[in-house]
Amino acid sequence: MIKYSIVVPVYKSSKSLEILTKQLLELADRTSYEFELILVNDSPFHGETNVALQKICAEENWIKVITLRKTQGQHLALLIGMAHASGDYIITMDDDLQHPVNEIPKLIRAIESNDWIDAIFAVPHYNKKKHSLFRNVGSFILNKTDSALLRKPKGLIKSPFRIITKDIANNIVVNFNATPLVSSLLINATSNIINIHVEHHSRQFGRSNYTLRMLISLTLNNILHYSSLPLKFMGIVGIAGFIFSMLFIMATITRKIFYEIDYPGYTSTVSLISFFGGLNLLAVGLIGEYLIRIIKEQQKPNLEGLIRKSRSQTHI
């Protein structure tokens, strides 16, 4: 029987945990799906959350609780939960009740009916998204940055509410960097990703933990860790600067020979400054090219992860 692992990073959300687990239990009771729930506690020193998790874990044996030694952030918590998942598919969702539990069967049906799909991002319509204006604008900017700098399938929108095949989850778990972004890792691992539209609920408790500083940090992480375009740009600028400086030196020497420049030392001074300035730009360009190769070496994928396997054969 196919098993589904639901991974939820938990951060100071004691009030919503009981409701979330109750909704998931009701879903399991009224469907034929086999679930396991993995709650990754990313707020180990928050007393209320610890008490709520202990109560939940004691009452339900299908729920795993993983408590981290210190706060690591949503994405590392997700990767840790995915590493401990035993399901054939992994579903990730937030702990704030904005991702409706009732939409999980829609994700399952969508990925099971498309054998070539490795992951699905569940996204609300923009006019039905229940985030604040600030959060929506931040998400819009982040999405546009992704489109410009990452090799993201055209029109794809990232979301923390998603379903992933086990082999792709295993691939990204062993190939993440120091500041991982799960959705970007997925896009680097496979192009077989689609969107489906789901409902999106308003936040019932507290406020979003994503501040302006965190959204800026996420954008920079996307740019610096998952795209070599800035380095390529600097490489082109360096080479172009060196070529321009050489042409400028030739033009200056030509003027000196044929037009007799009257300023003493002008030609030699300008030529030396241009030469070493151009050399510096060329060096920057070469360093950029070396850095691109170092980044690619650090992010090289697991060879098995590059092979698309038929799920119809996997689940026999």
Side-chain angles (χ1 to χ4, degrees):
M1 185 176 181
I2 298 175
K3 186 177 182 180
Y4 304 90
S5 297
I6 302 172
V7 179
V8 181
V10 176
Y11 185 77
K12 296 182 180 180
S13 53
S14 55
K15 293 180 180 179
S16 61
L17 282 176
E18 185 176 348
I19 300 173
L20 178 63
T21 53
K22 181 181 178 182
Q23 291 177 352
L24 288 169
L25 182 60
E26 290 173 352
L27 177 64
D29 288 340
R30 69 172 182 265
T31 63
S32 58
Y33 300 126
E34 181 183 353
F35 292 115
E36 72 167 350
L37 175 60
I38 301 175
L39 301 173
V40 185
N41 183 10
D42 197 33
S43 51
F45 300 106
H46 191 250
E48 293 180 7
T49 300
N50 288 330
V51 170
L53 287 170
Q54 289 173 6
K55 180 182 177 183
I56 290 168
C57 190
E59 292 176 352
E60 302 292 342
N61 58 12
W62 62 287
I63 298 177
K64 297 179 184 178
V65 174
I66 301 171
T67 299
L68 307 184
R69 295 182 185 275
K70 60 182 292 186
T71 299
Q72 299 289 348
Q74 180 187 21
H75 294 274
L76 268 175
L78 275 171
L79 289 171
I80 291 169
M82 291 163 66
H84 287 80
S86 60
D88 302 287
Y89 296 94
I90 296 173
I91 299 166
T92 68
M93 61 191 305
D94 290 344
D95 61 350
D96 54 12
L97 304 177
Q98 290 193 275
H99 299 152
V101 170
N102 289 335
E103 297 284 20
I104 289 177
K106 184 183 290 186
L107 271 71
I108 293 174
R109 290 192 298 269
I111 200 165
E112 287 187 344
S113 62
N114 294 280
D115 187 64
W116 61 276
I117 293 297
D118 293 318
I120 296 175
F121 292 142
V123 297
H125 296 281
Y126 277 112
N127 60 343
K128 295 183 179 179
K129 204 170 185 179
K130 303 299 181 181
H131 286 315
S132 64
L133 177 62
F134 162 76
R135 177 73 183 276
N136 286 336
V137 171
S139 298
F140 176 79
I141 294 172
L142 191 60
N143 185 62
K144 290 300 182 183
T145 303
D146 290 342
S147 298
L149 299 178
L150 301 182
R151 291 177 295 177
K152 188 176 74 167
K154 186 176 181 181
L156 183 71
I157 300 173
K158 299 192 300 186
S159 168
F161 190 21
R162 56 205 154 209
I163 185 169
I164 312 162
T165 60
K166 179 64 174 176
D167 60 325
I168 288 296
N170 289 339
N171 186 30
I172 68 173
V173 162
V174 299
N175 288 294
F176 66 91
N177 52 39
T179 54
L181 297 174
V182 173
S183 293
S184 296
L185 287 168
L186 281 170
I187 291 170
N188 277 350
T190 177
S191 296
N192 302 322
I193 309 174
I194 63 171
N195 285 133
I196 63 170
H197 291 291
V198 297
E199 295 296 322
H200 193 251
H201 293 168
S202 299
R203 192 181 183 93
Q204 296 187 28
F205 305 102
R207 297 165 57 185
S208 173
N209 296 310
Y210 279 95
T211 61
L212 176 61
R213 178 176 172 272
M214 291 183 68
L215 289 173
I216 292 173
S217 177
L218 284 174
T219 303
L220 288 176
N221 284 344
N222 257 0
I223 294 172
L224 298 177
H225 284 285
Y226 300 99
S227 174
S228 58
L229 189 61
L231 284 174
K232 289 180 180 178
F233 174 76
M234 289 305 301
I236 292 171
V237 169
I239 294 171
F242 180 74
I243 293 172
F244 176 79
S245 66
M246 294 300 101
L247 293 174
F248 182 73
I249 290 171
M250 292 172 61
T252 302
I253 293 174
T254 301
R255 288 176 61 196
K256 172 66 176 177
I257 295 173
F258 294 102
Y259 298 99
E260 298 184 356
I261 298 175
D262 295 330
Y263 302 107
Y266 173 82
T267 302
S268 57
T269 302
V270 168
S271 297
L272 287 172
I273 291 173
S274 298
F275 175 76
F276 286 108
L279 199 62
N280 284 334
L281 288 173
L282 179 62
V284 169
L286 291 174
I287 291 170
E289 289 298 317
Y290 277 111
L291 285 174
I292 289 171
R293 283 154 179 76
I294 291 171
I295 291 171
K296 288 182 177 179
E297 181 69 21
Q298 185 264 331
Q299 294 180 340
K300 64 182 179 183
N302 179 0
L303 294 180
E304 281 297 314
L306 299 177
I307 303 171
R308 188 173 71 86
K309 300 175 182 178
S310 173
R311 294 199 298 273
S312 58
Q313 296 175 356
T314 305
H315 299 321
I316 292 176

